[in-house]
């Protein structure tokens, strides 16, 4: 039926129509191809040109949600950092609840996670602009103070990560007590690892370029 | 205006559905303990950081440290609402079936709250008389 219609048209109309159909009937709708390419592709698979199938009405490229991933980057980074940070804390809450006795899980090991949290807050309290020196307000201590603050924050973060590994291996893996469960040690390690990476994602995953 | 009413009815239905899941997780004869009701605290706390950030900072800028901190805290509250039933179930305070029901209720309620923010929150001045 479509071929009858095509025969009555002029050459230019025919070409335009075939090109338009080729635009819509290609299987990878998300990729832009030159119309000649699309024509070649649809000429190769010419089996569904004259029959209308029930899937003809589906257009895949027409979604109006033009998500600007550049703008959403800060939101995604904040949410990912939140998931990581709070998952770390819930892991240690779980370990503290499952192993409440002092012999199974020394309460002093919680210090590691607390220092990691303080380091997270310190790292994210200063913006990259203040460290570079190109923000409008000087802040409390100026550029040098911001750098020292960030340096101490990163040192605490790395230190707590290393300490958590030490706690895992020194306190739980290499131990004389054979009936001690290693799970609290693993929980301390994962808590600090998650808090550390949450801090990194929150600090470096967000961009401060207001104008792009 | 009509779309606003329809959306409101749909959101209230999903909110009631989520609360039903939560209540089923507590009140079924098989389960019987009411500890999961504590996640209601997380439901109420979760929109607060976003509301404060909207009021406090103007959202004409594309990146806004206050809004990102609000997203961070809100995500933390959502994670906690999932973590609490899991920890309770691991300690056998509640049963795993109740935990599953509570987490299903969590999903529905948080999608409802997100729906509220997407549909009713995108105005210049966020006021309660918007519709």
């Amino acid at each position: 039926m479509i071929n009858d219609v095509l025969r009555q048209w002029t050459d230019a109309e025919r070409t335009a129509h075939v090109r338009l159909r080729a635009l819509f009937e290609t299987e990878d709708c998300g990729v832009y191809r030159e119309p000649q390419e699309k024509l070649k592709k649809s000429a190769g698979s010419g089996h569904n040109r004259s029959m209308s199938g029930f899937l003809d009405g589906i257009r895949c490229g027409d979604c109006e949600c033009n998500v600007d991933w550049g703008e959403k980057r800060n939101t995604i980074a904040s949410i990912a950092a939140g998931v990581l940070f709070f998952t770390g804390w819930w892991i240690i809450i779980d370990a503290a609840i499952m192993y409440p006795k002092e012999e199974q899980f020394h309460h002093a090991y919680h210090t590691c996670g607390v220092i990691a949290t303080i380091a997270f807050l310190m790292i994210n309290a200063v913006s990259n602009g203040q460290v570079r020196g190109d923000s409008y307000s000087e802040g409390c201590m100026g550029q040098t103070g911001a750098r020292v603050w960030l340096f101490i924050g990163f040192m605490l973060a790395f230190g707590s990560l290393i300490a958590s590994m030490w706690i895992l291996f020194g306190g739980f893996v290499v131990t004389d007590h054979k009936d001690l469960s290693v799970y609290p040690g693993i929980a301390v390690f994962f808590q600090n690892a998650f808090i550390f990476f949450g801090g990194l994602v929150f600090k470096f995953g967000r961009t401060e370029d207001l104008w792009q | 205006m009509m779309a606003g009413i329809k959306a409101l009815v749909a959101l209230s239905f999903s909110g009631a559905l989520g609360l039903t899941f939560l209540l089923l997780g507590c009140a079924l004869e098989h389960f019987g303990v009411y500890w999961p009701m504590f996640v209601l605290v997380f439901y109420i706390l979760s929109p607060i950081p976003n509301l404060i950030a909207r009021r406090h900072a103007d959202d004409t800028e594309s990146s806004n440290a206050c809004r990102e901190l609000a997203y961070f805290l809100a995500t933390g509250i959502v994670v906690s609402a999932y973590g609490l039933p899991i920890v309770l179930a691991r300690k056998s305070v509640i049963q795993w079936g109740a935990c599953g029901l509570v987490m299903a209720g969590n999903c529905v309620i948080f999608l409802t709250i997100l729906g509220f923010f997407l549909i009713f929150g995108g105005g210049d001045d966020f006021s309660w008389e918007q519709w």
Side-chain angles (χ1 to χ4, degrees), chain B residues 39-125:
Chain B
V39 297
L40 281 174
V41 174
F42 293 122
Y43 293 167
I44 295 174
L45 284 180
S46 64
I48 291 180
N50 283 333
L51 292 178
I52 294 178
R54 268 174 212 255
R55 279 282 192 195
H56 182 273
D58 53 338
D59 51 354
T60 56
E61 308 172 9
S62 54
S63 91
N64 190 351
C66 198
R67 216 163 39 141
E68 286 152 22
L69 180 65
Y71 286 144
F72 175 79
L73 292 175
T75 312
I77 295 171
V78 168
V79 166
S80 300
Y82 285 99
L84 181 66
I86 293 181
V87 168
L88 285 176
R90 271 176 54 87
K91 194 65 180 170
S92 304
V93 172
I94 65 176
Q95 299 187 24
W96 282 103
C99 173
L101 275 173
V102 173
M103 300 208 348
N106 279 355
C107 293
V108 176
I109 292 277
F110 286 128
L111 284 175
T112 306
I113 295 177
L114 183 68
F116 253 106
F117 270 102
L118 287 180
I119 296 178
F120 292 110
D124 274 4
D125 50 344

Side-chain angles (χ1 to χ4, degrees), chain A residues 71 74-75 78-79 81-83 85-87 90 94 97-98 100 120 183 202 206-210, chain B residues 42 61-65 67-69 71-73 75-77 79-81 83-84 86-87 90-91:
Chain A
E71 263 185 30
N74 281 11
T75 309
S78 313
I79 293 176
V83 169
F85 180 83
F86 284 97
T87 304
W90 275 98
D94 177 68
I97 287 178
M98 296 298 292
F120 175 95
Y183 177 72
F202 200 59
R206 302 181 297 153
T207 170
E208 285 167 19
D209 300 328
L210 296 179
Chain B
F42 293 122
E61 308 172 9
S62 54
S63 91
N64 190 351
R67 216 163 39 141
E68 286 152 22
L69 180 65
Y71 286 144
F72 175 79
L73 292 175
T75 312
I77 295 171
V79 166
S80 300
L84 181 66
I86 293 181
V87 168
R90 271 176 54 87
K91 194 65 180 170

Side-chain angles (χ1 to χ4, degrees), chain A residues 39-167:
Chain A
L39 208 53
K40 274 188 235 137
K41 272 181 81 70
S42 68
S45 65
H47 51 277
N48 57 351
R49 283 253 223 100
S50 48
M51 251 173 77
S52 65
F54 63 93
L55 290 179
D56 265 6
I58 294 183
R59 306 271 179 255
C60 6
D62 273 8
C63 175
E64 290 294 325
C65 49
N66 302 320
V67 179
D68 183 7
W69 291 109
E71 263 185 30
K72 297 281 183 196
R73 176 185 159 174
N74 281 11
T75 309
I76 294 174
S78 313
I79 293 176
V83 169
L84 285 171
F85 180 83
F86 284 97
T87 304
W89 270 105
W90 275 98
I91 289 176
I92 203 70
I93 289 174
D94 177 68
I97 287 178
M98 296 298 292
Y99 298 92
K101 297 205 203 75
E102 173 74 23
E103 306 85 52
Q104 292 166 323
F105 181 26
H106 284 291
H107 298 327
Y109 292 153
H110 285 285
T111 317
C112 211
V114 172
I115 301 281
T117 303
I118 292 176
F120 175 95
L121 295 174
M122 282 178 79
I123 289 173
N124 286 300
V126 295
S127 64
N128 286 332
Q130 278 173 328
V131 174
R132 276 197 303 263
D134 56 13
S135 74
Y136 291 117
S137 70
E138 268 288 302
C140 272
M141 301 171 288
Q143 187 186 352
T144 314
R147 287 180 173 168
V148 168
W149 182 266
L150 198 65
F151 175 72
I152 295 178
F154 270 112
M155 269 186 45
L156 288 177
F158 283 117
S160 64
L161 188 65
I162 294 171
S164 72
M165 289 188 214
W166 193 344
I167 288 174

